[in-house]
Amino acid sequence: MIGVSSVGLVIGLVCGGLALALGIYLKQLRPGITGFIVCTIAGFGCSIIGGLIALFVMAAVIISHAYVDRQDPFTSRAKLEEVDFSETTAQSTMRRLANFGNTVRVSWGALVRNKAGFIGFLGVTFFLAMSAFGPLFIEYEGSAQFSRRVDGARSLFQAPSAEFPLGLDWQGRSVLSHVVYGGRILIVTSIQAGLAATAVAVLFGSLAALMGGWVDGILSALANFILTIPQFPLLLVLASVIQFTDPIQMALLFGFLNWPTLMRAVRAQVLSLRERDYVEAAFALDLGLWHIISREVFPNMVSYIAVNLIFTVRTALYGLVALVVLGIVPLQEPDWGVMIFMGRSQGALFSQEAIWMMLGPILAIALFQLSLVLFSRSLEEVFNPRLRSGL
Amino acid sequence: MMPNTTSTTPLIELRGVHRQFEVDGVVLPVLQDINLSVNPNEIICLVGESGCGKTTTGKIIAGLLGQSSGEVLVGGKPREQYTGPERSVLRRQLQIVHQDPFASLNPAHTIGDILSFPLKRHKLVKDRADLRRRIWELLTLVDLTPPGDIVNKYPHQLSGGQRQRVSIARALTVQPKLIVADEAVSMVDVSIRVSILKTLHRLKDELGLAIVFITHDLALAKYFAWEGRIGVMYLGRMVEIGPTPDMILNPQHPYTRALMAAVPEADPDITRRKKHIELRSDEIPRLSEIPHGCAFHPRCPQFLGGKCDVIVPPLLPVPGVTQTVACVNLTPATVGD
Ligand SMILES: Nc1ncnc2c1ncn2[C@@H]1O[C@H](COP(=O)(O)OP(=O)(O)OP(=O)(O)O)[C@@H](O)[C@H]1O
Ligand SMILES: [Mg+2]
């Protein structure tokens, strides 16, 4: 999901070029250049998925800039007879894209306005960028570096210095290189676990709340059952069945363990939303169940779901690290958890020079978690139309 | 029941409708034996104290709530007998406008979107231009002008009164025959109320709508439904119903009389001259322990022991007046249960 490649760079440049071309075509040079940069980075870091998503969003933003002063006859103050209501499909598509772009811009404004949230956003971006682009600048040190031993020292441990900003570990390798490389699988796996748990939770939660009856009974019972299983003993048992070294299996495992909490939250939220007057009005207008779920209930839960998604990502990350630190899963370098485990077993708890080896990954985990928490605080303002306009 | 004065079939007719809710194992009889018919292009006001079942009646009329027993006839046919597309059409004929302007519109959509959903879903417009023209017309119809200032706004950018107008416009998208307005103006500023009521009145005349107007404010009912009827409810039963002028000037049921006596008049002299009617108690009994016989007897100034607390009074015509009333002291004696 993240990681640089030359193909990614080409994809990024193509997407960025398209954004720039659109900007020039619509005489919106500055948004065009911003689009070029964003799309290139996204394509480079996350390949085709990142590139296309960025291109879509940035294209909408560029179009919305171009549409600022264009008066839709529909919104004029003229009389009914004077208004031209016709609109071609192309015009309508452009108008919708412009509206979406406008929403993106206002949401971005809301994100920037919320200081704590924006710091969190920068933090999350930093860790993602570090994992994606760090390898471009920092080489991974896999094997022991005996030549770095200082004369008279008892071990290879070293405190931070200009050459090694985070110090050296017990094999004389740069802690920085392990911090940069050690989060990649961890972060991607926890995000995947979060997405899996959220998808299941939203599906089951809405079904349980809207259908009620035995569907609700079975799904709620299942969720409660999983919640009552103590997680770590279960993981110990599963360690013999599941390949804990395969990131996808780990993501699914943590997704499985984490959906029940979120499912109960979603169920409660849907139950409360479906009592709203506008949902009742939608029933009276006979708009259909699918419309009610997707257009009346869901849009009002987006921020709630996003906040819970981040919460699940955090839980999964802690869980993944804990499994390694407790020594339940096979150690695979590079990994923040392995760094903590090795640091401890190499005497970091008792020796002062060894402390640096543990401090690096602990700080990385703590700061990433903190960024996620701060970021999730601003999501309500980003997704709620009332809050994001800042009025 | 009073015979229908007109030959038209009522839009909707409730016959002996009961509705109960079970809360923590206790069965609450929220509505009991409601008989009510609404004719096309008619205004009916339902009034009564909080909790007497006005909203429940409105929701049953709008088809949002089923009855526990009794019959609901729509266009002369029991509601349950409609199926398929016919049922959808029927459903759309009966719309509701809610009380709370802050909860009645989805905060996630613009006004244009809110109005376009039903229009598109039921294919009530030909193409995009038609859709936009229709939205424009609807907004103009409910006096939200110029429409261009409104269509792209979110509900939170409008005032309470404007939102209620959007609610009305949304109900009108599906060309209903009846609108239940459940305290539709009680949460907007007093200054705006009258103008929204005027709009509703104009819509009734222009579109031939019937309106079931639910309120606890008798002064409002008097103003709004002067040409229609007022039905007074008490603890889940209709106690008196009749043409508005007679209900106001010549109320029959002791409860209606007490209510009318408490309505303030614009002229302070009239207010002062009004005779205040003393009730025997100000407490409204709870639904879980409705008094035997006439539910109003513990508060009734004309209480007759051995009669009022035994017989459940049916709604019957009173000789010499136009109302039907549920009071054994006014209507010819019948055998109660
Ligand atoms: N879904 C429900 N479950 C349980 N009780 C209900 C339900 N809906 C209504 N009730 C009860 O029914 C009674 C009548 O409610 P209703 O909303 O019809 O009253 P109302 O006349 O509209 O009152 P108000 O003037 O306060 O709006 C109330 O006591 C209420 O608590
Ligand atoms: Mg009510």
Side-chain angles (χ1 to χ4, degrees):
Chain A
M1 199 159 110
I2 51 179
V4 291
S5 69
S6 47
V7 181
L9 185 59
V10 173
I11 292 172
L13 285 172
V14 170
C15 293
L18 287 174
L20 187 60
L22 183 67
I24 292 170
Y25 173 68
L26 291 173
K27 298 195 185 63
Q28 299 295 328
L29 201 57
R30 276 183 53 190
I33 292 173
T34 316
F36 175 75
I37 297 171
V38 171
C39 293
T40 308
I41 293 176
F44 193 21
C46 306
S47 190
I48 188 94
I49 299 179
L52 285 183
I53 293 177
L55 179 59
F56 178 74
V57 173
M58 291 316 293
V61 169
I62 294 167
I63 292 173
S64 79
H65 273 283
Y67 262 63
V68 165
D69 300 320
R70 193 166 302 181
Q71 180 67 276
D72 179 357
F74 190 35
T75 62
S76 76
R77 304 173 128 255
K79 292 234 159 49
L80 180 61
E81 308 79 53
E82 297 159 18
V83 183
D84 179 15
F85 288 104
S86 59
E87 189 184 43
T88 64
T89 308
Q91 283 172 331
S92 155
T93 313
M94 286 294 257
R95 185 168 53 84
R96 274 169 214 220
L97 274 177
N99 279 346
F100 173 67
N102 221 12
T103 308
V104 172
R105 283 163 65 194
V106 178
S107 302
W108 174 255
L111 184 63
V112 175
R113 208 165 344 109
N114 183 326
K115 292 283 179 312
F118 191 58
I119 292 173
F121 172 76
L122 289 181
V124 174
T125 315
F126 170 76
F127 278 97
L128 291 179
M130 181 185 85
S131 300
F133 302 114
L136 285 177
F137 308 104
I138 290 168
E139 209 176 320
Y140 175 58
E141 297 181 350
S143 47
Q145 309 280 329
F146 295 108
S147 59
R148 286 180 184 159
R149 161 165 264 157
V150 186
D151 286 339
R154 277 172 295 128
S155 67
L156 283 166
F157 285 122
Q158 260 181 40
S161 60
E163 195 183 350
F164 306 112
L166 293 179
L168 293 183
D169 72 359
W170 95 108
Q171 290 186 311
R173 302 173 300 181
S174 161
V175 173
L176 179 64
S177 91
H178 278 246
V179 166
V180 168
Y181 283 82
R184 299 178 68 182
I185 293 179
L186 208 54
I187 290 176
V188 172
T189 309
S190 16
I191 291 176
Q192 286 169 338
L195 287 174
T198 307
V200 175
V202 169
L203 182 69
F204 284 9
S206 335
L207 280 181
L210 288 170
M211 299 185 67
W214 61 269
V215 178
D216 187 16
I218 290 180
L219 291 176
S220 296
L222 185 63
N224 288 338
F225 173 69
I226 294 176
L227 277 178
T228 54
I229 307 175
Q231 294 211 353
F232 271 96
L234 176 72
L235 286 170
L236 280 173
V237 176
L238 287 178
S240 54
V241 189
I242 295 181
Q243 272 213 306
F244 277 4
T245 46
D246 178 10
I248 297 287
Q249 290 193 20
M250 290 303 280
L252 289 179
L253 176 65
F254 275 93
F256 171 77
L257 287 176
N258 281 306
W259 69 263
T261 343
L262 181 51
M263 177 266 187
R264 298 211 306 185
V266 169
R267 178 177 168 276
Q269 182 79 359
V270 174
L271 278 180
S272 115
L273 281 174
R274 76 164 200 186
E275 295 295 317
R276 303 282 157 98
D277 287 349
Y278 54 81
V279 174
E280 197 170 77
F283 274 111
L285 292 163
D286 197 28
L287 296 180
L289 192 62
W290 176 242
H291 169 94
I292 289 169
I293 296 178
S294 64
R295 307 305 298 271
E296 307 287 343
V297 173
F298 184 73
N300 291 298
M301 288 181 45
V302 175
S303 62
Y304 190 77
I305 292 172
V307 169
N308 277 292
L309 167 69
I310 290 185
F311 183 80
T312 316
V313 170
R314 292 178 46 220
T315 317
L317 184 79
Y318 275 140
L320 286 164
V321 172
L323 280 185
V324 177
V325 171
L326 294 176
I328 295 173
V329 298
L331 303 183
Q332 254 182 337
E333 287 192 314
D335 184 291
W336 292 345
V338 173
M339 294 170 79
I340 298 174
F341 179 83
M342 290 313 293
R344 200 184 51 142
S345 63
Q346 293 301 319
L349 294 181
F350 310 106
S351 145
Q352 253 192 350
E353 357 165 72
I355 195 81
W356 301 106
M357 172 177 181
M358 280 177 81
L359 217 52
I362 288 177
L363 271 180
I365 292 171
L367 287 178
F368 184 56
Q369 292 274 0
L370 180 65
S371 305
L372 286 173
V373 173
L374 291 178
F375 179 44
S376 67
R377 289 243 201 109
S378 66
L379 287 177
E380 179 69 28
E381 274 160 62
V382 171
F383 286 115
N384 184 326
R386 186 169 56 80
L387 295 176
R388 78 174 159 233
S389 59
L391 297 175
Chain B
M1 252 199 346
M2 216 173 57
N4 265 332
T5 43
T6 52
S7 57
T8 47
T9 35
L11 273 180
I12 185 159
E13 191 174 351
L14 310 190
R15 279 195 193 156
V17 164
H18 290 253
R19 172 73 212 200
Q20 56 196 36
F21 289 108
E22 202 177 316
V23 180
D24 303 327
V26 183
V27 174
L28 297 177
V30 170
L31 287 184
Q32 295 188 66
D33 194 25
I34 297 290
N35 293 293
L36 178 69
S37 62
V38 186
N39 293 317
N41 206 8
E42 181 190 30
I43 291 186
I44 292 190
C45 264
L46 296 181
V47 298
E49 285 160 309
S50 184
C52 68
K54 305 182 296 289
T55 297
T56 309
T57 311
K59 286 191 180 171
I60 288 180
I61 291 176
L64 293 166
L65 209 59
Q67 67 274 27
S68 301
S69 65
E71 263 191 332
V72 178
L73 306 178
V74 185
K77 197 163 111 178
R79 171 149 39 211
E80 297 75 25
Q81 285 179 16
Y82 290 86
T83 50
E86 226 188 4
R87 189 186 161 84
S88 171
V89 172
L90 161 103
R91 181 151 229 187
R92 280 181 258 150
Q93 286 177 359
L94 312 165
Q95 290 301 314
I96 188 162
V97 174
H98 290 95
Q99 169 177 25
D100 183 355
F102 292 85
S104 55
L105 302 178
N106 194 331
H109 300 303
T110 61
I111 306 307
D113 282 338
I114 289 173
L115 296 181
S116 74
F117 291 142
L119 291 173
K120 287 198 273 195
R121 161 96 190 174
H122 300 299
K123 307 208 168 49
L124 298 167
V125 286
K126 290 194 301 288
D127 51 22
R128 205 175 293 121
D130 198 19
L131 171 70
R132 281 145 67 90
R133 175 175 297 111
R134 186 85 188 106
I135 290 174
W136 185 288
E137 284 169 359
L138 283 165
L139 289 173
T140 316
L141 203 56
V142 294
D143 297 324
L144 280 172
T145 47
D149 287 357
I150 307 281
V151 269
N152 285 334
K153 290 227 165 94
Y154 283 96
H156 73 265
Q157 294 165 311
L158 303 183
S159 71
Q162 286 175 316
R163 288 185 218 198
Q164 284 311 69
R165 290 176 187 277
V166 174
S167 276
I168 297 171
R170 178 180 59 189
L172 293 179
T173 53
V174 290
Q175 293 153 10
K177 293 188 174 161
L178 181 152
I179 289 185
V180 176
D182 185 1
E183 312 253 13
V185 293
S186 65
M187 281 176 76
V188 301
D189 283 354
V190 179
S191 54
I192 315 279
R193 262 183 216 173
V194 174
S195 88
I196 294 186
L197 291 182
K198 278 194 178 135
T199 303
L200 268 178
H201 236 287
R202 182 172 53 71
L203 292 172
K204 167 194 171 279
D205 293 339
E206 283 177 14
L207 306 173
L209 285 175
I211 296 178
V212 174
F213 187 79
I214 295 174
T215 179
H216 55 258
D217 183 348
L218 260 168
L220 214 59
K222 173 182 159 190
Y223 168 81
F224 187 69
W226 191 254
E227 284 145 26
R229 289 187 288 159
I230 289 182
V232 177
M233 295 181 67
Y234 185 75
L235 278 182
R237 285 178 186 272
M238 194 73 78
V239 294
E240 181 171 0
I241 183 165
T244 304
D246 300 325
M247 292 290 286
I248 303 281
L249 302 172
N250 188 18
Q252 297 295 310
H253 196 282
Y255 179 61
T256 319
R257 275 196 245 160
L259 284 181
M260 296 302 168
V263 177
E265 292 288 335
D267 185 346
D269 285 339
I270 302 184
T271 312
R272 228 170 292 129
R273 260 186 281 126
K274 263 191 180 175
K275 201 158 50 115
H276 178 67
I277 296 183
E278 200 69 48
L279 293 183
R280 294 198 299 142
S281 150
D282 284 335
E283 231 173 281
I284 311 172
R286 277 182 297 177
L287 279 175
S288 49
E289 28 199 73
I290 291 184
H292 281 285
C294 172
F296 186 59
H297 82 255
R299 300 172 70 189
C300 185
Q302 285 149 29
F303 168 68
L304 289 178
K307 194 170 170 196
C308 292
D309 49 0
V310 180
I311 307 169
V312 177
L315 201 57
L316 290 172
V318 174
V321 295
T322 51
Q323 294 102 300
T324 46
V325 185
C327 177
V328 282
N329 296 332
L330 297 171
T331 53
T334 40
V335 187
D337 50 339

